[in-house]
Amino acid sequence: MDLSLLRSTLEELGQPRFRFDQIWKWTAGGAAGYHEMSNLPAALRDELTARVPFSTLSELRRASSSDGTDKLLLQTADGRPIETVLMRYKDGRRSICVSSQSGCPLTCTFCATGQMKFGRNLTAWEILDQALALRRLDALDHCVFMGMGEPMMNLDNVLEVCRRLPDLGITNRRTGISTVGWVPGIDKLTESDVPVRLAWSLHAPEDALRSEIMPVNERYSLDEVKAACDRFYERRRKMIFVEYVMLGGVNDSVAQAKQLADLLEPWRYKINLIPYNPTDSMYDSSSQGAMEAFRQTLEDEGYNATIRLIRGRDIDAACGQLAAKAANPKLKQRVGV
Ligand code: SAH
């Protein structure tokens, strides 16, 4: 819902100020439409239905994984595809993974989103509407900006959404922004008043290899990104999450685990090893043994390091698999949307 359009429309209609909060409360609580808002006059509900679309996005397709993961394929009013994911965990956590851009300009070689055409930054309302669409499916408590796109390239809109997420049940402490290491964005986040967590997609312990698998490293080197993350830590005193996708024979040796350990400090960085999810790229997954040896090496060096659970692989909803396949017109016919 475009909340600035809602505000100006209510003003034009001469509605009292409290209407905005009433409507937002219903929406953030998971209402399906204006018709459910029983404390609004019926005439106002009709007027809003005609003038302020309840969502800026339309749903093209929904897929559910056997592991409790739901993926929505959504579309903006100008036809841009976006994917957004809800993960349900055994301990009761309900975590959402939202997109900040349609497509991504950064071309990381192992990521499906990087291989599709870049569309544009999403508006704050288009990002918020992903969370609201998932809120209508379930209660929520965690959010990561790990869907399509680079959130630090669209940080103002991402932060605007972060300020609203607590109304959906997701506190800022349970919200994480994940970045390839876009230094100006990290610095801006450090200076902001929004106490969210930072995650750095690191993926290689030295520049040459990192540039090979993530071209953005040519622009911001490991040292520069590390310095920006350290500034974030010094200001916030919050552990930074490092994400490290395990590519068989590329970045998964014990020697590379030691290099990674030397690069970081265990009191500042918590390391998440991500099993590589197949995306039609040239890589293979690391073996279970290689991942465990890598994790153990980091732990011996004093780090908190975990291997991330795989979620939603059967519906292409896992990390790096979001590419809006069904938004492709040819495929659209096949899935019947
Ligand atoms: N652009 C941001 C947000 C996307 S997050 C970032 O890169 O951090 C998506 C996460 O999934 C990133 O850590 C990304 O590197 C990782 N990822 C991408 N492709 C993957 C794949 N095929 N398998 C596992 N993880 C992948």
Side-chain angles (χ1 to χ4, degrees), residues 36 159 243 245 329:
E36 283 185 12
L159 291 180
E243 290 156 279
V245 60

Side-chain angles (χ1 to χ4, degrees), residues 104 106 108 110-112 145-151 178-180 199-201 203 214 243 245 274-279 308 319-321:
C104 182
L106 292 179
C108 297
F110 46 82
C111 178
F145 288 85
M146 289 191 190
M148 293 175 156
E150 170 50 47
S178 179
T179 179
V180 295
W200 175 16
S201 295
H203 305 323
M214 300 176 75
E243 290 156 279
V245 60
I274 315 178
Y276 168 69
N277 295 306
T279 61
R308 186 179 285 169
C319 300
Q321 291 187 313

Side-chain angles (χ1 to χ4, degrees), residues 1 13 35 52 71 80 98 147 156 188-190 202 210 262 270 276 322 335:
M1 181 185 294
L13 294 172
H35 58 276
V52 184
K71 176 169 87 163
R80 309 282 183 180
V98 296
D156 291 339
K188 197 166 180 182
L189 179 64
T190 303
L202 205 157
R210 193 162 191 269
D262 289 343
K270 177 182 179 310
Y276 168 69
L322 301 184
V335 297

